[in-house]
Amino acid sequence: MEVKEYLSNAEDSMQLAVEYLEDTLSHIRAGKASARLLDGIRVEYYGSMAPISNVANVSVPDARTIAITPWEKAMFKEIEKAIINSELGITPENNGEVIRLSIPPLTEDRRKQLVKQSKGEAENAKVSVRNARREAIDGLKKEVKNGLSEDVEKDAENDVQKLHDKYMKKIDAAFAEKEKEILTV
């Protein structure tokens, strides 16, 4: 393999770690209503499991409410059941036309728990980035044994370290943003 391939593979892995972190953080409830909170919830729809957004219109009329308007009357009970059985921890209100989810304000303890959870997710992403760096450097060291010059290997190691630092900053920024969002009352 060439040096560029090691760098490319490392950067791809690091980018995936950051994208996964951003996706995971977007699903952590921060006291504000967001349609993404329902992304992981599936309902039975004609024999298969489908996301709520595939069987209903999901909107966020204000900062504390999510409105779900099923396209078929038969889906009301299915959607309610799926939300109640989910880890969301919110009881849906059904008026026959719209299912409303009222997002309660977070308590101080819950905010601290969510920050801790977010920090754990950020730490997992950092571990993934470090692993990608280690794999690239190990690969480069093997290439030295196969005839790659040590100067080229050292330069490539420095490039891998720069990539590592860049993605660590992205992870820290994503966590700081989520922490601010959670702690904003």
Side-chain angles (χ1 to χ4, degrees):
M1 274 177 39
E2 284 194 37
V3 172
K4 286 180 182 161
E5 284 184 57
Y6 284 109
L7 290 173
S8 172
N9 290 346
E11 185 163 22
D12 290 347
S13 297
M14 292 176 188
Q15 182 63 39
L16 284 172
V18 171
E19 287 171 8
Y20 181 79
L21 172 68
E22 288 170 350
D23 184 55
T24 304
L25 291 179
S26 73
H27 289 90
I28 294 177
R29 187 163 60 106
K32 286 194 204 98
S34 166
R36 297 214 48 192
L37 292 174
L38 303 175
D39 282 356
I41 302 174
R42 304 265 187 255
V43 292
E44 175 83 26
Y45 187 63
Y46 291 109
S48 66
M49 298 306 278
I52 290 177
S53 58
N54 287 9
V55 298
N57 183 31
V58 179
S59 62
V60 182
D62 60 63
R64 295 254 178 251
T65 310
I66 299 174
I68 305 166
T69 312
W71 296 324
E72 298 174 24
K73 293 279 186 212
M75 292 310 297
F76 274 97
K77 289 222 178 320
E78 284 288 332
I79 292 172
E80 278 188 304
K81 191 169 75 174
I83 291 169
I84 290 169
N85 293 336
S86 75
E87 296 174 5
L88 205 53
I90 299 172
T91 305
E93 302 162 23
N94 178 356
N95 67 5
E97 292 183 21
V98 177
I99 298 170
R100 291 190 192 288
L101 300 176
S102 295
I103 309 294
L106 296 172
T107 63
E108 191 60 33
D109 286 346
R110 185 70 179 130
R111 286 180 196 280
K112 287 177 184 169
Q113 276 181 322
L114 291 174
V115 167
K116 194 174 181 181
Q117 180 184 350
S118 300
K119 189 171 184 68
E121 293 296 345
E123 200 50 51
N124 288 343
K126 285 182 175 185
V127 167
S128 296
V129 169
R130 287 183 198 116
N131 286 342
R133 175 186 61 183
R134 189 192 66 236
E135 286 170 14
I137 289 174
D138 289 350
L140 289 167
K141 287 187 172 156
K142 284 181 188 159
E143 289 299 318
V144 169
K145 292 175 184 157
N146 296 340
L148 182 71
S149 81
E150 287 188 22
D151 290 344
V152 172
E153 187 261 343
K154 284 293 177 208
D155 290 344
E157 264 189 50
N158 289 336
D159 292 343
V160 171
Q161 185 62 42
K162 285 177 188 162
L163 281 175
H164 167 270
D165 296 345
K166 173 179 140 186
Y167 284 99
M168 286 298 196
K169 281 185 183 139
K170 285 185 178 185
I171 290 169
D172 289 337
F175 169 68
E177 187 179 318
K178 188 63 177 184
E179 183 180 36
K180 182 180 172 202
E181 183 185 331
I182 291 170
L183 296 177
T184 302
V185 180

